[in-house]
Amino acid sequence: MERGEILRWLQEMDESRLEELWKKADEQRKASVGDEVHQRGLIEISNYCIRQCRYCGISACSSGITRYRMTRDEILEAVHEAVRLGYGSVVMQSGEDPGLTVAFIAGIIRTIKEETDLAVTLSLGEREDDELRAWKDAGADRYLLRFETSDPELYERIHPALPGKVSDRFAQLERMRDMGYEIGTGVMVGIPGQSWITLAADIDTFRYYDMDMIGVGPFLPSPRTLLGGPEAADFYLSPQDQVPNDELTTLKTVALTRLVCPEANIPSTTALATVDPQSGRELGLMRGANVVMPNVTPTKYRVLYEIYPGKACMHETALVCSSCMERRIRSIGRVPGKGPGGRRRKI
Ligand code: SAH
């Protein structure tokens, strides 16, 4: 599918034509990754952050939030909860927190690998190569780093580099692939300043880099951030150019991503479930996605990892999340995945 066609689908509003897109995406999903829905236990290990991302509610600019960093024992307890719930992998995610030292994270990865069969995914932001290599050597399997937007000017505005440093997420993704990681990325749908052409280019970029995992969710403004306040007005494009941060556009993005990256692992994201708590998860899974990331962070910390307000599944325990997720998966005729659920490749 050419970029022009991606663009046309993104802007398609005719429901009967969209049925065709949903059908094609679901058939592609079934043919390439099957009916299993892999569950990744998400552990939000720290909300400390040194970055100033204009969209993120836990960035260094957000005042008035209680910061936490989980202890090794707390993290390992959450890992074992993921095992008990039958998940095949865990994702350790955090703000960009230098307090999460290379040795601390490596030690935890080693223990997970000794004590469980889980695949380990990291999502700790932009880190140095020696750290990334040490974590790979310790046994990490995958790394999630969304490039957020393929438009370099918009990226610079919403994701300022640290003083004296360059922020090049594509370069880090490529280096991680060379180190042997499965690499995951993604974008937000409807960030102020994102045009239809930019979003089409984002989807084309997933294909260009042959990403192993691709997460997309709607942008949800946080009042703690610049993009959730009055200054956001300077970012928004004219109504015909600006991508809306709605469920329909997110679902089109998921479906098109499946069509251009047939083998990728694609989650039906929490942000999608937040804009449509009733059926967002299911619709994502029915229109291209094959992964969910149920939260196993202890509830007392989960409420503090508030990257945007009203996050779905914020107050449920891991056990409640798990049975709700399984019910949703089975309600659409799919089955919870077994094993680590790595990227499948056509031979
Ligand atoms: N510090 C890590 C993890 C960030 S949170 C990193 O930067 O990679 C994971 C993802 O949540 C981000 O990559 C971003 O795409 C998404 N996110 C952050 N703020 C958001 C918001 N306000 N609305 C929707 N998604 C958001």
Side-chain angles (χ1 to χ4, degrees):
M1 188 185 292
E2 294 195 357
R3 194 179 290 194
E5 196 182 341
I6 298 176
L7 183 61
R8 276 194 298 282
W9 274 121
L10 284 174
Q11 295 184 295
E12 179 63 59
M13 290 308 280
D14 181 280
E15 277 181 31
S16 58
R17 288 228 56 209
L18 282 172
E19 282 305 323
E20 200 187 308
L21 176 65
W22 308 144
K23 187 159 174 285
K24 281 209 283 195
D26 198 43
E27 283 172 0
Q28 187 68 67
R29 184 271 310 155
K30 195 173 171 67
S32 301
V33 293
D35 280 339
E36 282 189 324
V37 177
H38 299 288
Q39 303 188 75
R40 327 287 198 200
L42 176 65
I43 316 173
E44 295 153 334
I45 62 175
S46 159
N47 72 350
Y48 282 93
C49 193
I50 54 167
R51 303 301 292 254
Q52 307 196 341
C53 304
R54 304 301 189 211
Y55 46 84
C56 182
I58 62 164
S59 87
C61 321
S62 297
S63 53
I65 44 173
T66 306
R67 302 280 174 174
Y68 73 90
R69 186 177 298 123
M70 288 172 67
T71 65
R72 176 187 156 86
D73 285 352
E74 287 171 329
I75 296 171
L76 291 172
E77 176 47 37
V79 166
H80 284 287
E81 180 72 2
V83 174
R84 282 193 292 276
L85 294 170
Y87 302 160
S89 62
V90 282
V91 180
M92 289 191 270
Q93 191 179 79
S94 69
E96 233 165 270
D97 175 10
L100 294 172
T101 63
V102 68
F104 177 78
I105 296 294
I108 291 170
I109 298 168
R110 265 192 212 98
T111 308
I112 300 175
K113 288 293 174 175
E114 278 160 19
E115 295 182 357
T116 78
D117 295 326
L118 296 175
V120 174
T121 303
L122 303 175
S123 178
L124 310 176
E126 289 160 57
R127 305 287 305 217
E128 300 294 335
D129 282 4
D130 53 344
E131 303 177 296
L132 297 165
R133 221 170 272 122
W135 296 334
K136 188 79 199 63
D137 292 346
D141 301 281
R142 310 175 183 147
Y143 203 103
L144 298 177
L145 187 73
R146 291 186 175 182
F147 61 75
E148 315 293 4
T149 173
S150 58
D151 171 348
E153 272 172 38
L154 181 60
Y155 181 72
E156 243 181 81
R157 290 181 77 195
I158 64 171
H159 188 98
L162 286 172
K165 294 219 173 178
V166 192
S167 168
D168 187 342
R169 289 191 160 206
F170 291 110
Q172 180 176 330
L173 283 160
E174 293 222 284
R175 290 197 301 273
M176 292 191 297
R177 164 169 287 159
D178 290 344
M179 290 176 202
Y181 282 98
E182 273 187 39
I183 52 169
T185 197
V187 297
M188 288 167 281
V189 172
I191 357 165
Q194 181 186 56
S195 70
W196 294 103
I197 292 172
T198 303
L199 183 55
D202 293 344
I203 296 170
D204 210 10
T205 305
F206 299 150
R207 166 168 55 191
Y208 177 79
Y209 283 92
D210 187 23
M211 296 291 182
D212 300 307
M213 304 169 281
I214 303 155
V216 293
F219 162 70
L220 296 162
S222 160
R224 298 180 193 281
T225 64
L226 186 130
L227 287 180
E231 283 117 321
D234 297 342
F235 286 74
Y236 279 100
L237 307 172
S238 63
Q240 72 269 25
D241 290 337
Q242 173 66 48
V243 171
N245 60 338
D246 60 13
E247 180 176 26
L248 179 62
T249 315
T250 306
L251 290 168
K252 289 178 196 168
T253 308
V254 169
L256 291 163
T257 300
R258 170 60 66 204
L259 291 173
V260 302
C261 299
E263 303 156 15
N265 279 319
I266 302 179
S268 183
T269 54
T270 304
L272 183 57
T274 301
V275 287
D276 178 3
Q278 198 73 36
S279 49
R281 274 293 177 205
E282 289 87 334
L283 286 171
L285 291 172
M286 290 159 72
R287 295 174 178 182
N290 70 321
V291 167
V292 288
M293 294 168 65
N295 208 315
V296 290
T297 313
T299 349
K300 67 173 176 183
Y301 294 132
R302 209 184 289 188
V303 292
L304 301 174
Y305 196 83
E306 204 193 52
I307 52 183
Y308 50 78
K311 218 164 104 189
C313 321
M314 184 115 84
H315 301 285
E316 285 89 343
T317 62
L319 183 62
V320 172
C321 267
S322 162
S323 50
C324 165
M325 209 66 99
E326 176 156 354
R327 181 179 51 73
R328 288 178 190 271
I329 293 169
R330 294 202 187 275
S331 76
I332 53 169
R334 305 272 282 279
V335 286
K338 297 251 180 312
R343 157 104 188 241
R344 288 200 209 169
R345 283 182 188 275
K346 251 202 285 191
I347 314 159

